Amino acid sequence: MFRFTVPGEPMGKGRSRVTRHGSYTPKETQNYEALVKQMFSIHYPGNVPVRDVPLSVKICAYFSVPSSAPVKKKQAMLEGVIRPTKRPDIDNIAKIITDALNKIAYHDDAQIVDIAVEKFYSLTPCVEIRIERWDCDGKTAASAHHSDL
């Protein structure tokens, strides 16, 4: 149904801040959500949000390999032997992506009935997103890797 990539280092949803003047979403979160929307709109201009359809979402977050890592460790990171255990948490990555796509890819993120989020290292940091109609056979939840999208 939808497949696209958001360039740059993955981000998680920042917590709303409360002040005596009310609450607000951090600027970094607003900017990243705007980038997700922009990348979706570039790939699917004029899209009408999907309504009343159960959806499956697959998110692959690719983080930069630390420059300080030894060569052997870098290779293991790029091969997926070593995976990122750093922030942001996968639930916050899912939250920022699914919230950003509300009303543009689908009517409401409550339509998402199946979600998978994975973290990897890559020479090209990005987030790859795949949204499909959920299939009761589970065929839409197949694993996707960096080169597949």
Side-chain angles (χ1 to χ4, degrees), residues 7 13 19 31 55 57 64-65 69 71 73 75 78 89 91 105 109 121-122 136-137 149:
K13 181 91 174 189
T19 68
N31 292 342
L55 300 172
V57 175
S64 297
V65 175
V71 173
K73 189 172 183 180
Q75 189 60 36
L78 292 172
D89 302 342
D91 55 331
D109 58 3
Y121 284 108
S122 174
C136 64
D137 293 332
L149 294 177

Side-chain angles (χ1 to χ4, degrees), residues 1-146:
M1 213 156 113
F2 304 120
R3 287 182 178 191
F4 68 103
T5 301
V6 178
E9 210 61 44
M11 271 193 69
K13 181 91 174 189
R15 292 181 185 236
S16 292
R17 307 285 189 237
V18 179
T19 68
R20 58 185 156 178
H21 303 291
S23 65
Y24 69 94
T25 302
K27 195 69 170 166
E28 299 82 27
T29 296
Q30 291 176 22
N31 292 342
Y32 194 77
E33 286 181 344
L35 176 61
V36 172
K37 290 176 186 181
Q38 177 186 23
M39 297 313 296
F40 178 87
S41 296
I42 288 169
H43 286 85
Y44 302 98
N47 181 67
V48 175
V50 176
R51 284 182 162 273
D52 305 321
V53 173
L55 300 172
S56 176
V57 175
K58 172 74 173 180
I59 299 170
C60 292
Y62 295 92
F63 293 85
S64 297
V65 175
S67 57
S68 61
V71 173
K72 274 188 152 180
K73 189 172 183 180
K74 283 182 183 179
Q75 189 60 36
M77 291 173 161
L78 292 172
E79 292 172 355
V81 174
I82 298 174
R83 303 271 295 269
T85 56
K86 62 181 189 169
R87 294 188 180 274
D89 302 342
I90 59 172
D91 55 331
N92 289 326
I93 294 169
K95 187 74 175 148
I96 200 166
I97 298 295
T98 58
D99 283 358
L101 295 173
N102 250 343
K103 306 278 187 265
I104 67 164
Y106 37 77
H107 178 68
D108 191 322
D109 58 3
Q111 292 171 246
I112 300 169
V113 299
D114 179 60
I115 191 164
V117 183
E118 292 186 275
K119 293 169 37 173
F120 299 95
Y121 284 108
S122 174
L123 296 176
T124 310
C126 64
V127 177
E128 295 178 341
I129 300 129
R130 182 185 343 188
I131 303 168
E132 298 177 339
R133 290 178 188 267
W134 176 77
D135 179 353
C136 64
D137 293 332
K139 293 177 185 166
T140 59
S143 182
H145 289 288
H146 196 43

